């Protein structure tokens, strides 16, 4: 779908429009905004989304006749648009708009989840040397234990986005949902200054510990779902956290380092392999000036890995592989595959092959209009596949029989 001649803008416009079925956007608003963007101009992206967010955020709040549902849905949309306004700003970490837009997004999102029934609840989970910010959404008000999906985003997305990608769909099917963020992800980078870490079990194990203490959570039926870069992080955590009963990767990522090497031309790879940091940094920054997709990726990498140079990012990316780890995963894994994935081509198939009969590989194809990375715009189809699989895998009978192990 061509919403912009700029590939990065096109993909991310579809990403935001794709949350519309689950209250994250209105389609016409984003389509109209797309026509006002200057392709490739990050400032244009920010200013247009910021203006839209500001407008939606002020609609109806002073009108006493505005219903709770209307206030909720407007606040969800405004929060999404503020997060979009932040998306391309990270090339300058000192830009004050980063903090301003994120604070506005959080305020609007918190307004919205307060209007849910039952309301969403922000919690802070202690971990080893850091804390895990999370949001707990109960499947219902009755207080009985429910199977629960622990879900998180990837390289650039937030836990708030996960509610619109998969969370509402899971709640509709009777699951509790617990979203969370770890080092490298939005609120932990901002609030704790912590970079990504490859040993994601350090994040997930404290989350599972928390779940065991919550009466509404059936801790014998915990699913773990990772989106995008989460397609590496989720199976990595499951390899060292046996209390996870099932894993979903959207999409599977076996070797993150090999994947990011795919960003580089042969000349850049040779500079990297030679350990020539200064020449590599000069060359890749020159390439970034002529390639907006590469520019955004590297700027986001420096931001979320908390490093000063592209060379240092690539060096820090080396441990992000499941080689030698997959044999420790004992639970079933749904490996989703975007068949035209432009970020991680072939990685889902590598993960499924390494897992063998523990994996269910599900390709999403162009014929389904779902073949792009993480399937933006195809969330209804994707959630049907993912959540039906989790339902079948994590029913009480499946857990009792051991089929969920």
């Amino acid at each position: 779908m061509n919403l912009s001649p700029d590939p990065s803008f096109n993909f991310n416009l579809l990403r935001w429009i794709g949350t519309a079925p689950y209250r994250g956007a209105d389609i016409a608003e984003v389509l109209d905004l797309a026509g006002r963007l200057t392709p490739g101009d990050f400032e244009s992206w920010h200013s247009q989304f910021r203006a839209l967010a500001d407008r939606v955020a002020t609609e109806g709040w002073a009108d006493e006749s505005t219903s709770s549902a209307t206030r909720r849905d407007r606040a969800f949309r405004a929060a999404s648009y503020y997060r979009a306004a932040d998306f391309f700003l990270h090339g300058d970490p000192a830009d004050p708009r980063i903090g301003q837009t994120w604070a506005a997004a959080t305020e609007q999102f918190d307004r919205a989840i307060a209007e849910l029934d039952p309301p969403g609840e922000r919690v802070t989970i202690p971990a080893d040397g850091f804390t895990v910010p999370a949001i707990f959404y109960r499947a219902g008000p009755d207080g009985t234990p429910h199977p629960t999906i622990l879900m998180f985003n990837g390289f650039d997305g937030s836990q708030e986005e996960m509610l619109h990608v998969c969370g509402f769909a899971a709640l509709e099917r009777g699951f509790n949902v617990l979203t969370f963020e770890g080092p490298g992800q939005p609120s932990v980078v901002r609030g704790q200054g912590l970079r990504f870490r490859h040993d994601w079990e350090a994040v997930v194990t404290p989350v599972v510990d928390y779940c065991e203490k919550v009466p509404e959570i059936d801790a014998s039926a915990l699913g773990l779902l990772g989106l995008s870069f989460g397609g590496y992080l989720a199976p990595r955590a499951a390899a060292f956290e046996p209390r996870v009963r099932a894993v979903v990767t959207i999409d599977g990522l076996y070797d993150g380092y090999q994947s990011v090497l795919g960003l580089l031309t042969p000349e850049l790879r040779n500079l990297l392999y030679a350990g020539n940091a200064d020449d590599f940094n000069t060359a890749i920054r020159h390439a970034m000036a002529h390639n907006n997709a590469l520019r955004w990726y590297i700027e986001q990498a420096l931001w979320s890995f908390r490093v000063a140079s592209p060379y240092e990012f690539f060096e820090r990316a080396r441990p992000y592989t499941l080689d030698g780890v997959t044999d420790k995963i004992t639970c079933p894994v749904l490996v989703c595959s975007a068949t035209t994935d432009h970020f991680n081509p072939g990685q889902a198939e590598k993960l499924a092959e390494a897992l063998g009969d523990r994996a269910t590989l599900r390709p999403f194809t162009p014929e389904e209009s779902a073949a792009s990375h993480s399937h933006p715009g195809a969330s209804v189809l994707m959630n049907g596949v993912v959540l039906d699989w989790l339902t079948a895998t994590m029913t009480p009978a499946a857990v009792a029989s051991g089929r969920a192990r």
Side-chain angles (χ1 to χ4, degrees), residues 29-251:
E29 287 176 332
V30 182
L31 288 178
D32 285 347
L33 178 148
R36 298 192 295 270
L37 293 174
T38 302
D41 184 344
F42 290 2
E43 287 296 320
S44 169
W45 176 282
H46 170 79
S47 64
Q48 291 296 332
F49 268 107
R50 179 65 185 266
L52 176 59
D54 287 343
R55 179 180 66 77
V56 174
T58 58
E59 284 180 354
W61 285 96
D63 186 347
E64 292 183 1
S65 67
T66 302
S67 68
S68 171
T70 299
R71 291 196 302 269
R72 175 199 65 205
D73 291 348
R74 285 175 175 166
F76 273 137
R77 283 163 44 228
S80 291
Y81 301 148
Y82 279 123
R83 290 195 302 274
D86 167 81
F87 193 74
F88 287 100
L89 292 180
H90 298 165
D92 177 10
D95 189 331
R97 296 174 298 177
I98 293 173
Q100 294 164 3
T101 55
W102 206 257
T106 302
E107 178 187 13
Q108 291 296 316
F109 193 84
D110 286 352
R111 280 184 171 186
I113 63 174
E115 304 284 352
L116 295 174
D117 184 21
E121 178 187 357
R122 286 195 183 267
V123 297
T124 300
I125 300 171
D128 186 8
F130 63 99
T131 57
V132 179
I135 309 173
F136 182 39
Y137 305 93
R138 293 166 176 83
D142 58 3
T144 59
H146 286 264
T148 301
I149 304 175
L150 317 177
M151 59 178 70
F152 60 95
N153 219 313
F155 177 63
D156 56 73
S158 68
Q159 64 169 325
E160 289 85 358
E161 182 184 20
M162 294 303 299
L163 179 63
H164 305 298
V165 174
C166 299
F168 276 124
L171 290 167
E172 290 171 354
R173 290 160 171 84
F175 291 98
N176 293 321
V177 169
L178 184 78
T179 64
F180 63 94
E181 291 179 354
Q185 295 183 321
S187 59
V188 181
V189 166
R190 288 171 169 83
Q192 301 176 60
L194 298 178
R195 64 169 63 98
F196 267 113
R197 55 189 298 168
H198 76 282
D199 56 342
W200 205 245
E201 63 274 15
V203 181
V204 170
T205 289
V207 172
V208 175
D209 291 343
Y210 167 82
C211 290
E212 290 190 325
K213 301 171 186 175
V214 179
E216 298 98 324
I217 293 178
D218 178 357
S220 72
L222 299 177
L224 184 64
L225 183 153
L227 182 72
S228 190
F229 188 36
Y232 158 81
L233 299 169
R236 163 71 202 206
F240 299 95
E241 180 41 78
R243 293 172 291 177
V244 169
R245 296 290 178 166
V247 171
V248 175
T249 65
I250 309 172
D251 296 308

